[in-house]
Structure formats: structure tokens, C-alpha cells
Amino acid sequence: MISLNILDYSPIDEGETAAAALQQTTRLAQLAERLGFKRFWVAEHHQVDSVAGSTPEMLMMHLATSTETIRIGSGGVMLPHYSAYKVAENFRMLEALHPGRIDLGIGRSRSYRIVNEALNESKKKRLPYEQQLTDLQKYFADDTDSEHRFQSLRAMPVIETAPELWLLGTGPGSARLAAEKGMGYAYAHFAKPSQQGVEVVEAYRAEFQPSQFLQEPKVIIAVFAVVAETAEKAEELATAFDLWLLFVESDSPPPYYPSVDTAKKRGFSASEQEKVERNRQRMLIGTADQVKMQIEAIADRYDTGEITIIPNISGADNRMNELRLLAASFNLAGK
């Protein structure tokens, strides 16, 4: 049986505001809980005007308070920008208030140059990513015995449980680190939907070393999915998604997620159409039953029972409808 998760970017629909997008994310999380989705994660994006998700820890606290049972997580916190000690305390606070429901997904995307400079301008040097992961685990384990430059330091509040630790990635480097540190591995199939992904996940499992936090390897595969009642409606939504991806990759993207009508009216140039065709390889598109078959094939290919859906489509109602359709197709055990 496949468990389904959601990763939401808090897209700002055309004609809407960032504040409205965050309220829509809240309603989406509440719906995901009612429908029986396992996890609801939120992203960290900077200098992307069409999405409102910039600080996952803050949004997670709100979402965890607005729900009761669904796991709430980050997909992910971009650790190289931050102090591992502060990240540990942020997530310990979340876990203390919502025990057994918090996931810490960690990534290392370095974003735009100006963002990197603004987030790191006071730092004399950056620690190696691997060292930061080691530091995080020290703090979550309350390890004051092992040799460490901050050996006696503990992350507050001191509690009996810890968030689940997941490393996000698209290649062998992240897989190796996740295996070495005994962490779960979330592979971004939506970014690199190739046979290499299968090999990366296989290497993670083969090299996995049990840790205090995880005894056996765990894998999540994340996919872009565009789902509607009909294949024709799904194709319309996919066209708007095509345009959004082009906007994001351009030099001057508009501060909104384009509507289906905007995408229809605008169309694509020949060079843009080539990019659209490449990006289409990153998406699952169709009715719920059609997408279910694609999800099952991906789960089988990666030998996993957990898939994260990124419903990054135009319109809050359409995003909520996608969740309802998938939940019905997969017979999720909702409330």
C-alpha cells in the first residue's frame, strides 16, 4: 500500500496575495489531514515572487497548530544558510509542542547569488555540509560525551522525542550522506526523472548505516502531479504549470502563478516549446486513475511505499480538488 504526502509551495495565484496563499496552504493541510495523507511539508524559497513559502519553520508551527494528526515537515530547510544549533532548537520547539508529528527535511540549495549573500553576509566561513549534519544529530541526541567543538552544548528545550530527519537530494552525494548519517532520503524525482535516480536510491539503501534516529533505510520519492476530473482539464492545468516553470526560469518572472486563461492566451514560442517538452518529463498529468497508475509505476521502480505529491497547479480550488481525487483513487483512510 502506498502512503501519499503533500509538499506545498504556497503558490500565489494570479490576482491573489501572498497572505491569501498562506491561508490557502493552511486549508490544504487541513484537507490533506481529513483525507488521510500521511505528511504535509512546506518549502523554503527565496526571491521567487510567485510563491509565499520562505520560512518553513514559521509556517510549520502555524500548520501544526491548525491540524491534529498529520505529520508536518519542511521540504526543506536549506541548512548551509543557517546555524545547525538554531535549526535544532527551532525543530525541538516544534517537536515539544507537537510530539511525534514533526519532520525535518534538510536541503542545501544555494539559491540566487543575492540571496546567498544576504543570508550569509556576516559569516567568516561556511562549515562543510557534512559537519552541519553531524552537528544536528549531536543536538537532537543530547550528546555531550563525544568529542565536539561545542561538546557541552545542548539544544533547548530538552525533550524525550526528536523530529524525523530526512535528507533531500537529487544525486549520489546526498544519497551517500543520508546513508552515512542514518537518515531518511527524499529523492526529488520531479527534478531528475531518470534512471540515475533509481541507482542513487539503490546506493543509499546499500550503504545505509543505522543511527540512533533510524534503524533501516527509508525512502520518499517526490513528484509533480497535475490531476483533474478529465484528461482535458488536467492538460489545461498543465499548460499553466508549463508557463509558470518558464516564468521561474526567466530573468524577470511575474509575481504570480499564471491562470489557465493567461496561459492559453499567451502561448509558447518555438524555443519555449522545446523547454516545455523537456519539463513535461518531470510531471505526472491526467485523471486521478491515470496518475495513480503512474505513481504506482514510480513506487515500484524505486521500491518505495511513500510518494510525495507536489500539487503546484493554478487555483486553490484546483489544488484541493486534486487532493480529493487522489485520495478517492487511492482509497486513503480519511476521517
Side-chain angles (χ1 to χ4, degrees), residues 152-214:
S152 63
L153 185 63
R154 304 176 78 185
M156 303 294 158
V158 176
I159 55 177
E160 295 181 356
T161 60
E164 284 192 12
L165 302 181
W166 292 85
L167 202 63
L168 282 56
T170 58
S174 57
R176 177 187 57 79
L177 280 175
E180 178 184 313
K181 301 298 182 183
M183 299 170 62
Y185 187 54
Y187 180 77
H189 177 86
F190 65 91
K192 289 190 177 180
S194 66
Q195 177 59 30
Q196 182 195 16
V198 176
E199 296 167 0
V200 164
V201 169
E202 288 175 348
Y204 159 73
R205 288 196 176 99
E207 298 173 18
F208 182 83
Q209 300 175 30
S211 70
Q212 174 179 338
F213 305 98
L214 187 63

